[in-house]
Amino acid sequence: DQGGGRGVLRTTQSADERAMLTQVASRLTCRAGARCMSAYAGGPIKVAVLGAAGGIGQPLSLLCKLSDHIDEVACYDVVGTPGVAADLSHIPSGAKITGDLPSAGTWPPSHNAGLERALTGASVVVIPAGVPRKPGMTRDDLFNTNASIVKTLVEGCAKFCPDAVLAIISNPVNSTVPIAAEVLKKAGVYNKNKVVGVTTLDVCRANTFLAEKLGKSPKDINVPVIGGHAGITILPLLSQVPGASALPADVTAALTHRIQFGGDEVVQAKAGSGSATLSMAYAGFLFTEGLIKAMKGEEVIQCAYVESTLTPAAYFASPCKFGPEGVKEVLGFGTLSAYEKQWFDKMVPDLQKQIAKGIDFVNSPA
């Protein structure tokens, strides 16, 4: 045990403790821009976390283990997942936990049996795998390493769980989502409703930062955030939040910049030791549980980066209605203020370039 002491051994739990374990995670889903209406449909749910031993993957797997909407959490990474799974298995919650590594080499050569075990039967695959940013790096600087990782993992998804919804966290999301789509197209199993980029952290930041300025609780704020998930492609529509239009122009500009570059704030504060892992794990869990609630019959609306016809960009983040089969409807984003329209016009060409980079990575000759 960590922390230097074991404390007092107890073999039973109070009712309050049991309730906390089963509710602490699931009660959060309708925050951070997800709006839910209850119509429970039931059914077992397996979530595979690819990159489960990393800075995002470990806390994300923990939150999934605590959720009473998830029946099994399959942890997969290139190192450390048996230990992560063993640790999580001691938590007295209902979800089964497994941990797999890439299978050892065989002769004749065979597929990755560890990845197969993690993915088989998965309803949702969450992909936070990859390297984190360091000070001075942009999300796009991660492209060469993370693009290959995502491509390989999604090839596994195409083989072992072609009907799962893929929730992609690995940066640069603006490019890795198109990479995933192209891989699935090549395999003949692409479904635009089941490939989504997780932009929920942008919504979390927008709600938190705006609430501070308005003197309100973040749970009472719902900022639509559209575009992409990198720098100026992140566009929070502050004008659509009651009370925000009264903010001075310089405050609106500062808030917009902080939301767009909130990740840099964390990277710099961690001084080379990592990026936004805990808040991203929280946001990734909110999004994942929103997906699951929609699969079980609830009506859930949350922002996501998906194939879209709303703008000239082939992929675009906007509010989406989710259902049993993933994205049920890509919703519009309403009227933009003059300030937001300026950012929109700057953002779309950048987003298109990042999308094209991902598509070319899969389709261009090596």
Side-chain angles (χ1 to χ4, degrees):
D1 290 356
Q2 294 184 344
R6 295 179 181 271
V8 178
L9 177 64
R10 292 191 301 164
T11 58
T12 60
Q13 293 175 287
S14 69
D16 288 345
E17 287 173 322
R18 289 193 297 273
M20 179 190 72
L21 284 170
T22 57
Q23 295 176 12
V24 66
S26 61
R27 68 186 178 185
L28 301 172
T29 305
C30 293
R31 301 181 187 174
R35 302 195 301 277
C36 308
M37 291 168 50
S38 185
Y40 181 70
I45 294 289
K46 175 181 176 178
V47 173
V49 180
L50 308 186
I56 297 170
Q58 289 199 43
L60 175 58
S61 299
L62 168 63
L63 290 170
C64 289
K65 178 70 170 79
L66 292 174
S67 173
D68 58 2
H69 292 279
I70 298 173
D71 300 291
E72 180 178 351
V73 183
C75 299
Y76 176 86
D77 211 323
V78 294
V79 294
T81 34
V84 171
D87 195 356
L88 292 174
S89 73
H90 295 185
I91 295 171
S93 62
K96 175 185 174 184
I97 191 88
T98 61
D100 277 292
L101 297 169
S103 55
T106 63
W107 185 261
S110 181
H111 63 270
N112 185 341
L115 184 60
E116 179 182 16
R117 281 192 298 271
L119 292 177
T120 299
S123 306
V124 179
V125 180
V126 191
I127 307 180
V131 296
R133 285 197 292 157
K134 295 183 178 180
M137 294 177 69
T138 66
R139 290 180 178 89
D140 199 51
D141 291 333
L142 304 175
F143 182 89
N144 289 334
T145 299
N146 288 359
S148 297
I149 292 170
V150 170
K151 179 175 180 289
T152 298
L153 293 174
V154 174
E155 286 170 347
C157 294
K159 292 178 183 178
F160 305 127
C161 58
D163 294 325
V165 176
L166 308 190
I168 298 172
I169 294 173
S170 306
N171 277 315
V173 167
N174 292 352
S175 301
T176 54
V177 169
I179 286 171
E182 293 303 307
V183 168
L184 295 171
K185 287 175 186 177
K186 281 179 173 283
V189 294
Y190 177 62
N191 181 341
K192 68 179 182 179
N193 299 325
K194 294 192 173 187
V195 180
V196 294
V198 180
T199 61
T200 310
L201 183 52
D202 301 323
V203 179
C204 288
R205 287 174 174 148
N207 291 349
T208 300
F209 302 159
L210 180 59
E212 290 173 356
K213 293 297 181 183
L214 296 180
K216 295 183 178 180
S217 168
K219 70 180 182 180
D220 297 325
I221 302 291
N222 182 17
V223 182
V225 182
I226 65 171
H229 182 62
I232 68 166
T233 69
I234 300 167
L235 181 54
L237 303 185
L238 301 175
S239 68
Q240 297 186 13
V241 179
S245 59
L247 293 171
D250 61 330
V251 174
T252 298
L255 270 174
T256 299
H257 185 273
R258 190 181 180 201
I259 294 163
Q260 290 172 329
F261 296 96
D264 294 357
E265 183 178 306
V266 178
V267 170
Q268 291 164 12
K270 289 191 173 181
S273 65
S275 57
T277 54
L278 299 175
S279 54
M280 185 63 249
Y282 169 81
F285 170 73
L286 291 182
F287 184 80
T288 300
E289 202 172 48
L291 287 178
I292 292 167
K293 287 190 172 186
M295 289 176 177
K296 293 184 173 184
E298 297 187 25
E299 184 177 293
V300 176
I301 297 174
Q302 54 189 352
C303 289
Y305 180 69
V306 298
E307 183 178 318
S308 174
T309 59
L310 293 178
T311 74
Y315 297 85
F316 196 81
S318 70
C320 296
K321 183 184 292 185
F322 287 85
E325 299 299 317
V327 178
K328 187 175 181 180
E329 183 181 0
V330 178
L331 303 175
F333 49 81
T335 303
L336 307 183
S337 69
Y339 176 76
E340 292 160 356
K341 184 65 166 63
Q342 290 175 355
W343 276 116
F344 180 88
D345 292 340
K346 291 178 184 177
M347 168 247 290
V348 171
D350 270 16
L351 186 54
Q352 289 176 303
K353 290 177 185 176
Q354 293 166 35
I355 292 168
K357 188 173 183 177
I359 293 172
D360 291 345
F361 177 81
V362 178
N363 296 320
S364 295

